[in-house]
Amino acid sequence: MTDNQEIPSRSEERKAERHKQRQQKVKATVDAKIAAAQEEKGILLVLTGNGKGKSTSGFGTVARSVGHGKKAAVVQFIKGNWDCGERTLLEGAGVEFHVMGTGFTWETQDRDKDTQAAKTAWEAAEKLLQDERIDCVMLDELTYMVSYHYLDVERVIEALKNRPKMQHVIVTGRACHRAIIELADTVSEVLPIKHAFDHGIKAQPGFDY
């Protein structure tokens, strides 16, 4: 040992040993969970809450699916026909899109028109939810359609329950109906801490859409 090398103190050695023991316990817990998780099935993922990033997270999962050579499809409720960076990218990768196309309900202010548009989009979703060739289906902003009673929640639940066994589904949007949350395998809530728009910063292409 050279003069420049320091001999670890007893306290540092004890600290390192305690860290090692903690990590061994963590590893044992994780290994046990991995060993217990043997079932393979399609996952119903709900991304809800009032924070920004629900659709972004959902599209990330769709991109992951495509990256593994899986076939994916997206139905967008609420959204209009404006440019969508994710759609441009994913359609180029072979992802099928169905867009409700009426825009936000506070823009249309036409309940009958919105209801009919929602039903048309949902009919496309139902076909995807019956198609064994589709590995992953994203139902973007579906929660609003149920909250506004444009779609019957029982009809939605029935389609989700009876989809192909290995088909993954992603549901996004605020205030997800309790029945969908109860059916879901994984639920994440995105909470708002700060949002640029609330401070007068406009939505920008390439970042917000």
Side-chain angles (χ1 to χ4, degrees):
M1 180 177 292
T2 66
D3 294 338
N4 293 330
Q5 290 178 311
E6 296 183 1
I7 300 175
S9 68
R10 291 293 298 169
S11 63
E12 290 174 336
E13 289 177 350
R14 287 194 294 269
K15 183 178 180 181
E17 182 59 27
R18 288 195 299 269
H19 173 76
K20 182 178 180 180
Q21 291 174 356
R22 286 195 299 270
Q23 294 307 306
Q24 287 176 338
K25 290 180 180 179
V26 171
K27 183 178 186 304
T29 300
V30 173
D31 287 347
K33 289 183 177 180
I34 292 173
Q38 295 299 312
E39 182 182 4
E40 289 189 37
K41 56 168 286 189
I43 300 298
L44 174 56
L45 167 64
V46 171
L47 301 168
T48 191
N50 295 333
K52 173 181 171 61
K54 297 180 291 295
S55 294
T56 303
S57 176
F59 279 122
T61 303
V62 171
R64 176 182 292 160
S65 180
V66 173
H68 281 282
K70 305 293 187 180
K71 188 172 179 61
V74 176
V75 181
Q76 287 186 286
F77 301 89
I78 295 288
K79 299 293 198 299
N81 289 312
W82 56 81
D83 288 339
C84 171
E86 296 96 336
R87 180 181 178 186
T88 300
L89 178 68
L90 292 170
E91 278 190 326
V95 176
E96 179 181 347
F97 269 73
H98 296 270
V99 183
M100 183 167 149
T102 57
F104 297 112
T105 56
W106 57 84
E107 294 286 357
T108 62
Q109 301 179 17
D110 188 332
R111 181 176 177 80
D112 290 340
K113 179 180 178 182
D114 288 337
T115 300
Q116 185 54 53
K119 289 180 177 179
T120 299
W122 178 247
E123 287 170 1
E126 285 181 320
K127 291 179 181 178
L128 295 172
L129 294 170
Q130 296 169 1
D131 191 342
E132 294 184 353
R133 297 170 299 174
I134 307 296
D135 301 292
C136 181
V137 178
M138 179 174 171
L139 304 174
D140 189 32
E141 314 284 15
L142 173 66
T143 63
Y144 295 98
M145 302 299 98
V146 176
S147 296
Y148 298 158
H149 303 291
Y150 295 166
L151 296 176
D152 182 68
V153 66
E154 285 78 14
R155 181 175 174 180
V156 172
I157 292 294
E158 187 72 12
L160 292 173
K161 280 184 175 180
N162 293 315
R163 73 188 194 276
K165 182 178 185 296
M166 296 305 297
Q167 187 182 77
H168 303 300
V169 176
I170 307 158
V171 172
T172 73
R174 299 186 181 196
C176 185
H177 194 284
R178 182 176 64 254
I180 299 176
I181 288 178
E182 290 175 352
L183 180 64
D185 300 288
T186 301
V187 180
S188 292
E189 183 177 11
V190 183
L191 300 177
I193 305 301
K194 297 172 68 176
H195 198 302
F197 184 71
D198 294 332
H199 298 279
I201 302 173
K202 68 188 297 184
Q204 300 169 68
F207 185 80
D208 292 294
Y209 60 91

